[in-house]
Amino acid sequence: MHQWQRVINTTIGTSSTELICTNKLKSMADHLRQSVTFLPLKDLRYTQTALQGHTWFMSSMYDIHEEGEVQYQQFPSESSQGRLLCLKGRDKHDGSWNSYALAWPETLPFNATLMKGLTFVSYNHYNYDNIWHGLSAMVPFVAWHRNNGCAMPTRWVLYHWGELRLKMGLWLTTLMDATFGGKPYIEGFEEVGEDEPVCFEKSVVMRHNEGGMSRERRMEAYDLMRCKARVYCNVSLEGRGTEVNSRGVPVIGMTMFMRTGPRSFSNDTAVIGIFERECAKVDGCRLTVAYSNNLSVCEQVNLMSLTDILISPHGAQLTNMFLMDRNSSVMEFFPKGWLKLAGVGQYVYHWIASWSGMRHQGAWRDPNGEKCPFPEDDRRCMSIFKSGKIGYNETYFGEWARNVLNEVKTLKLEEQVNRNSSTTSSTWCGCR
């Protein structure tokens, strides 16, 4: 196209020559527009390996990936040969009806709408309502944002199994608002015709969540979100670290983050009493009991900033742990049956503890619970055990609490000494 344009601009000849060149150029452009090929966003050939390799989302595309960094696709880029990403992606029920293509900016598909600015395109194999699954899909965008001078998205396009999604849960929306400095605009393509394509001036696609990122890069992303969330909620960036009691002893914040319904304690009062007694034995320990469903997002951010030891049943509320200061501790509790039947998903809070710089202090698994009519290693039992109640073991809980409290107390005293000998601290929520 550029070659033909130069011919038009430089040819010294008759107007008929110019007209021939112009028509030739237009014909070439039309052929390029017509040659844009749309492929299914969800490739059903890879149904059995939906999360492996290229995944079944935009399966023909390769990711940009440097060792230890986030995996992503960017358009336009060298790998896309300067082409933009285009979508026909409005279907909310069957991702195989949605499609994607690449096109050069000068020859976008016929009737295409060009959306200006930076677009984040997210693929999530689970959902955007559960705070753990939603956060896992957002972390790579935060890492990319941090590594690219805090570039801000104009819009988000959310997909689950190739199907368009129009919202994030409130917790995730608030966190992204804090991190990116504005409430995320979720694109729904309402102003676009039914089968008309949309192309993006610049777009970044994520489909592997945190896969491929080193622990250091993950911690940097969680550090940024923690910092931004505290600024957004007017919470001290210093966290718990600087607080001491009247005797100059560092305060240890012990928080019991309780659940109601599935995977809650069968006797809250008894469990609270055990940790209350152990906390009372340690100078500087303060116990807080809270229920996650009774707190706003900023109240959760504030609570976590005052927490050194988080005590909670397995559940999405544990995702809040990354909002604690680094090196804080987590104690997790499971109902009967999870160890044998729940698969690797039961370890997600071990993972997030490691990725966000926390200390996972182990898990207690209730040996007692509801009876299953099948052998207890039968997969069908998980439907019974999944939402079971959690009992307690007073002796074990007491000893466990003492060990963790002693470890945290020692760590806090060491931090106090180091802090007193240092004159600088950093509270900047920065990007590379």
Side-chain angles (χ1 to χ4, degrees), residues 275-385:
F275 288 96
E276 198 170 40
R277 287 192 295 273
E278 296 304 327
C279 183
K281 297 174 185 177
V282 177
D283 191 12
C285 183
R286 294 178 185 172
L287 179 68
T288 301
V289 179
Y291 286 81
S292 58
N293 58 336
N294 290 338
L295 301 179
S296 69
V297 176
C298 278
E299 286 172 337
Q300 293 176 60
V301 172
N302 183 61
L303 178 62
M304 292 300 106
S305 75
L306 302 176
T307 299
D308 297 297
I309 303 172
L310 181 61
I311 301 163
S312 190
H314 178 84
Q317 77 287 342
L318 271 169
T319 308
N320 285 281
M321 74 170 73
F322 79 90
L323 296 166
M324 300 189 291
D325 290 347
R326 272 205 196 183
N327 288 318
S328 296
S329 293
V330 180
M331 303 169 72
E332 188 176 4
F333 301 78
F334 286 89
K336 173 186 176 180
W338 275 64
L339 183 60
K340 287 184 178 179
L341 299 175
V344 296
Q346 64 188 293
Y347 299 107
V348 293
Y349 300 111
H350 286 256
W351 303 338
I352 192 174
S354 173
W355 298 341
S356 59
M358 305 302 160
R359 297 167 179 254
H360 196 287
Q361 298 284 5
W364 184 76
R365 299 172 182 276
D366 195 342
N368 303 310
E370 291 189 50
K371 300 292 184 183
C372 178
F374 311 105
E376 292 195 347
D377 57 355
D378 190 304
R379 295 290 305 170
R380 290 173 290 184
C381 290
M382 191 58 196
S383 61
I384 297 171
F385 296 149

Side-chain angles (χ1 to χ4, degrees), residues 39-63 71-75 85-91 94-102 119-126 128 137 141 156-165 189 200 203-209:
L39 301 173
L41 265 181
K42 182 173 74 173
D43 191 337
L44 296 178
R45 294 176 300 171
Y46 302 108
T47 301
Q48 301 304 316
T49 55
L51 296 179
Q52 298 177 20
H54 292 192
T55 80
W56 64 351
F57 184 80
M58 294 177 59
S59 63
S60 70
M61 305 304 300
Y62 288 86
D63 290 315
Q71 298 182 70
Y72 66 97
Q73 298 168 35
Q74 184 169 322
F75 307 95
L85 175 65
C86 301
L87 296 175
K88 292 181 182 179
R90 299 178 53 181
D91 198 287
D94 186 349
S96 63
W97 286 96
N98 293 326
S99 55
Y100 70 100
L102 302 184
T119 301
F120 281 172
V121 180
S122 171
Y123 172 74
N124 189 341
H125 197 68
Y126 300 97
Y128 298 95
F141 289 105
W156 296 72
V157 181
L158 307 179
Y159 286 105
H160 164 247
W161 286 26
E163 301 158 6
L164 188 66
R165 294 292 179 260
F189 306 121
F200 305 105
S203 58
V204 173
V205 180
M206 303 289 182
R207 57 183 180 176
H208 289 285
N209 291 356

Side-chain angles (χ1 to χ4, degrees), residues 163-219:
E163 301 158 6
L164 188 66
R165 294 292 179 260
L166 301 180
K167 66 182 183 70
M168 302 175 182
L170 175 61
W171 184 93
L172 191 62
T173 297
T174 305
L175 182 62
M176 293 301 100
D177 187 356
T179 302
F180 292 99
K183 185 177 180 181
Y185 174 73
I186 312 300
E187 182 60 63
F189 306 121
E190 291 89 353
E191 305 300 321
V192 181
E194 186 66 36
D195 197 42
E196 293 180 1
V198 172
C199 301
F200 305 105
E201 181 181 35
K202 183 177 181 180
S203 58
V204 173
V205 180
M206 303 289 182
R207 57 183 180 176
H208 289 285
N209 291 356
E210 300 172 49
M213 292 176 64
S214 66
R215 182 170 181 261
E216 180 184 3
R217 290 291 176 261
R218 295 176 206 231
M219 285 199 291

